[in-house]
Amino acid sequence: MRLKQVVLAGNIIALVLVALLLTMTQAQAKQQGKLKVGYTPGGASILAFVAQDQKLFTKEGVEVELVQFSSTGDGLNALNSGKIDIGISFGTAAPLTFISKGSDFTIIGGALAGGHPVIALPARAGQFKTIRDFKGKTVAVPRLYTADVVWRGALKRAGLDPNKDLKIIELKNPPAVLEAVKSGKVDVGIGASSIFLQAKESGLAIVGWSNDFFPQHPCCRIVAKGKAVNGAPDVYRAFLRALLQAEKIKDTNPKLAQNITKRYMNIDDNLAATFVSEPHQHVSVDPDKHRVKQMWHELKEINYVTSELDINRYINTQLYRDALGELIRRNPKDRYYLNAKKHFEKQNS
């Protein structure tokens, strides 16, 4: 009996040592600048593609592995479990919802504002001109995606009851919304940036944008584990510096950004140009704390979240401030970065 107890104790100690070793290895990897970055293909992923292609991560001392996911939920679950280190295109509403349920997430930057299409069959396109036109319709939404929350907030402000005035079909992800619209099972779909090109290729009509419901609303925030950020802030600052340089390339050399997007997303020239230049998709690394807080309020207004958390504790603007400050130090007369600083002060003070 004692021998079995000794063996059992030895096995437990071995498992604990293995777990500690794994944790130390992961922490050491982050300290050395290795990050697994999760994304879904869409407007928010453009900056990561540019930074990777132009070796900006390497320039800043970060080794980045891009990991693709099919849905926001899958990506955030991977972040929560430590399978990836950063999420760059998993919305704003979903990370905030995870935070409300106890996840150790910190928003450290942005990737996309607005940019989510509302889609319908061409024959039904004329039916949707204002938010009140959704009354009496069957609407497909991707549950917990930012566009879904933004749209529901607009319904509430228009005095429409989502349980009485229309029928909402909740689906797992935007591709499922796309298929529901194409098949005619619903009148209209609340889409996402990730299906914008597929919607156009399918001949669907873009009858509106999420920006119509909440101008310049934050989407795709850059999210990481709070403990990881606190343990290796230099690595995350370097990551943001690389993205900021990619943002400048995207805005000042859109042709290069189009060519990169074409290769990374395996699309043709016309689609790449449409995707990168779409004016409703505003790409920016700025965390935009003010609008994130507005989104938090919106989530509570539509009863998606019931929480008394101080959301300020989960938005880290200092890393972006430092990253931008370092780029300005290197390039003191660069108008792009100086303008970015003005926007930061306006949106995060």
Side-chain angles (χ1 to χ4, degrees):
M1 188 68 178
R2 288 180 180 175
L3 180 59
K4 288 182 179 179
Q5 290 175 334
V6 170
V7 171
L8 180 60
N11 289 338
I12 292 172
I13 291 170
L15 287 172
V16 170
L17 288 173
V18 169
L20 285 172
L21 182 61
L22 179 61
T23 301
M24 289 170 64
T25 301
Q26 291 173 337
Q28 192 174 40
K30 289 185 183 62
Q31 289 290 358
Q32 293 172 351
K34 296 180 181 179
L35 296 172
K36 288 187 176 182
V37 179
Y39 74 99
T40 56
S45 53
I46 291 173
L47 297 185
F49 296 157
V50 172
Q52 190 81 312
D53 187 80
Q54 296 297 294
K55 296 182 170 45
L56 299 175
F57 291 129
T58 303
K59 172 185 172 183
E60 295 299 333
V62 185
E63 182 182 326
V64 165
E65 176 186 350
L66 296 177
V67 183
Q68 185 174 327
F69 291 89
S70 61
S71 75
T72 285
D74 291 344
L76 289 176
N77 282 324
L79 178 62
N80 212 21
S81 64
K83 293 179 181 177
I84 60 174
D85 305 302
I86 292 180
I88 60 169
S89 52
F90 302 143
T92 303
L96 290 176
T97 302
F98 270 67
I99 287 169
S100 76
K101 296 179 179 180
S103 293
D104 175 33
F105 287 173
T106 296
I107 292 171
I108 63 172
L112 180 68
H116 302 299
V118 181
I119 57 176
L121 289 170
R124 295 174 177 170
Q127 300 176 26
F128 300 95
K129 292 184 173 63
T130 72
I131 187 66
R132 294 200 61 83
D133 292 333
F134 287 89
K135 186 174 183 178
K137 303 297 194 299
T138 300
V139 187
V141 302
R143 172 75 179 178
L144 274 185
Y145 275 70
T146 297
D148 175 28
V149 171
V150 166
W151 173 71
R152 289 180 194 249
L155 285 181
K156 184 179 177 68
R157 288 190 293 275
L160 295 176
D161 186 336
N163 299 312
K164 297 179 181 178
D165 294 327
L166 61 156
K167 182 179 180 182
I168 297 177
I169 308 296
E170 295 182 346
L171 300 172
K172 181 182 179 181
N173 55 36
V177 171
L178 179 72
E179 291 305 315
V181 173
K182 284 171 59 178
S183 67
K185 292 179 180 178
V186 298
D187 297 308
V188 64
I190 306 302
S193 169
S194 58
I195 61 163
F196 169 50
L197 293 181
Q198 294 95 313
K200 291 185 75 67
E201 286 183 304
S202 299
L204 297 178
I206 308 297
V207 300
W209 293 87
S210 55
N211 316 52
D212 301 332
F213 309 132
F214 178 168
Q216 286 296 92
H217 70 80
C219 183
C220 303
R221 299 298 87 184
I222 301 172
V223 188
K225 297 287 282 291
K227 187 176 181 181
V229 169
N230 292 335
D234 289 345
V235 175
Y236 291 91
R237 270 192 289 268
F239 179 81
L240 292 176
R241 287 197 301 273
L243 286 191
L244 269 163
Q245 292 169 78
E247 179 190 315
K248 180 181 176 182
I249 290 173
K250 188 265 179 188
D251 282 2
T252 60
N253 191 352
K255 186 65 177 177
L256 175 58
Q258 290 167 21
N259 289 334
I260 293 169
T261 301
K262 172 188 173 181
R263 286 187 277 107
Y264 275 72
M265 294 185 66
N266 193 27
I267 54 180
D268 65 30
D269 289 323
N270 289 334
L271 287 176
T274 298
F275 194 57
V276 172
S277 62
E278 171 52 53
H280 291 91
Q281 295 185 355
H282 179 63
V283 175
S284 171
V285 188
D286 192 306
D288 197 351
K289 182 177 181 179
H290 293 334
R291 290 191 179 93
V292 171
K293 289 170 68 175
Q294 188 176 344
M295 180 69 74
W296 176 250
H297 175 74
E298 201 99 314
L299 280 163
K300 295 201 287 186
E301 281 289 297
I302 63 173
N303 298 316
Y304 260 35
V305 165
T306 54
S307 173
E308 298 305 318
L309 285 174
D310 178 7
I311 201 61
N312 291 290
R313 293 168 44 211
Y314 300 89
I315 308 170
N316 183 329
T317 61
Q318 189 62 47
L319 287 174
Y320 177 88
R321 184 197 300 271
D322 292 345
L324 180 57
E326 171 59 19
L327 291 177
I328 291 174
R329 188 191 68 77
R330 296 178 193 172
N331 310 276
K333 296 182 180 181
D334 190 301
R335 290 185 179 180
Y336 191 88
Y337 297 134
L338 291 173
N339 284 332
K341 183 180 180 182
K342 291 179 182 178
H343 286 299
F344 172 80
E345 291 169 348
K346 182 180 178 180
Q347 297 177 162
N348 299 275
S349 59

